[in-house]
Amino acid sequence: MSDFAADFAPGSVWLVGAGPGHAGLLTLQAHAALQAADVIVYDALVGEDILALAPEETPREYAGKRGGKPSPKQADITLRLIQLARQGKRVLRLKGGDPFVFGRGGEEALALVQAGVPFRICPGITAGIGGLAFAGIPLTHRDTNHAVTMITGHDATGNVTGVDWNAVARGSPALVLYMAIKHIGAIAEKLIAAGRPADEPVAVVTNASLPEMSVLETTLAAAAADIENHKVQPPAIVAIGEIVRLRAGLDWLGAAEGRKLQSDPLDLGRGDSEQAG
């Protein structure tokens, strides 16, 4: 067992972030936990290549929640974690991104506390950082923004009423939206009404860091229509602000693909200027 998981004790739960998707973005501690766990309870956005890093004989239990699709209830997921821990197992709760960034890790951890189950939080790279980096969009830049706000695109009711959009529009030059595709039209209207420019640049990054990653560049006013026209589907992260313009020079993945095409003109790759990854 790796030293990074030496204290992964039987009867405990580790809440581990798997990052935005690319297996190379796992932390050493996450990789060690995959090797040491007695059972893995994983989310919808955890890919097979990441799960394959665990021993083949380690049981895997799916506990993914996807908006608008049949999903296990959060209470049932938490109860299962407690049950497995009380069986004396090392329970790896593997979550996309970071457990504490819109990942319900806090809810699960509090339930473990109430049940008297030992736990540990293993941070991961959240999509709002790692996903945008793969798209060539810096979260901050001294010439564009000294603050950034990360926002969930829906609240506990499934709507966007829980966010003070007027304050957000005025207070942060760069916005990063999670789970916002369904409500992007309403969000854009609220931001524009609060004073954001209608032509403010927007980037929608889907399947961030994965080979099928795509990036749609648009504007705040046109975002909803462009997302519908391009049939953009979750999972997606949305960046709003001048940081998006920096992608023109920082699209390192697209530049690498361009070099590949120049060296091998018969390899047509994706052939779509809006695609990257």
Side-chain angles (χ1 to χ4, degrees):
M1 183 186 301
S2 168
D3 288 342
F4 290 108
D7 54 351
F8 195 173
S12 67
V13 177
W14 277 22
L15 301 166
V16 176
H22 193 293
L25 298 181
L26 284 173
T27 64
L28 290 173
Q29 192 167 58
H31 185 270
L34 282 163
Q35 298 292 312
D38 295 317
V39 60
I40 300 169
V41 181
Y42 67 98
D43 273 349
L45 299 182
V46 177
E48 290 297 327
D49 55 340
I50 290 177
L51 293 173
L53 296 173
E56 186 175 351
E57 63 272 15
T58 303
R60 292 132 163 95
E61 296 190 10
Y62 177 76
K65 296 181 73 66
R66 296 295 300 274
K69 297 182 180 180
S71 303
K73 295 180 179 179
Q74 185 61 53
D76 293 335
I77 296 172
T78 305
L79 178 60
R80 183 58 177 159
L81 297 177
I82 295 169
Q83 290 174 337
L84 291 169
R86 286 177 174 170
Q87 293 171 14
K89 298 182 183 297
R90 298 178 182 88
V91 184
L92 170 54
R93 176 68 169 114
L94 194 58
K95 306 175 77 68
D98 181 278
F100 275 7
V101 182
F102 305 124
R104 299 182 178 171
E107 297 174 40
E108 294 176 3
L110 286 171
L112 294 172
V113 170
Q114 293 175 351
V117 174
F119 71 95
R120 180 170 187 162
I121 305 299
C122 302
I125 299 175
T126 184
I129 297 175
L132 294 187
F134 261 71
I137 300 171
L139 198 63
T140 63
H141 189 284
R142 289 190 297 174
D143 292 338
T144 61
N145 62 307
H146 293 88
V148 63
T149 300
M150 293 182 174
I151 311 167
T152 178
H154 59 80
D155 56 27
T157 68
N159 299 307
V160 293
T161 55
V163 176
D164 186 342
W165 293 104
N166 287 326
V168 166
R170 295 191 304 269
S172 186
L175 308 178
V176 178
L177 309 180
Y178 291 69
M179 300 170 286
I181 296 299
K182 181 178 179 180
H183 297 296
I184 192 64
I187 292 172
E189 289 179 2
K190 292 176 183 295
L191 290 173
I192 292 171
R196 304 288 289 216
D199 62 351
E200 186 170 24
V202 172
V204 184
V205 184
T206 59
N207 295 306
S209 80
L210 297 174
E212 60 270 27
M213 184 180 86
S214 66
V215 182
L216 172 65
E217 294 190 45
T218 179
T219 64
L220 198 55
D226 283 346
I227 286 172
E228 182 177 359
N229 291 338
H230 286 82
K231 297 180 172 56
V232 174
Q233 297 294 323
I237 197 83
V238 179
I240 302 173
E242 290 300 309
I243 56 173
V244 173
R245 297 192 196 278
L246 297 173
R247 183 172 185 265
L250 299 179
D251 180 16
W252 59 274
L253 201 53
E257 186 66 16
R259 289 192 295 270
K260 177 182 175 184
L261 294 179
Q262 290 176 12
S263 64
D264 184 359
L266 296 180
D267 182 355
L268 298 180
R270 287 172 296 276
D272 186 339
S273 60
E274 289 179 343
Q275 302 296 309

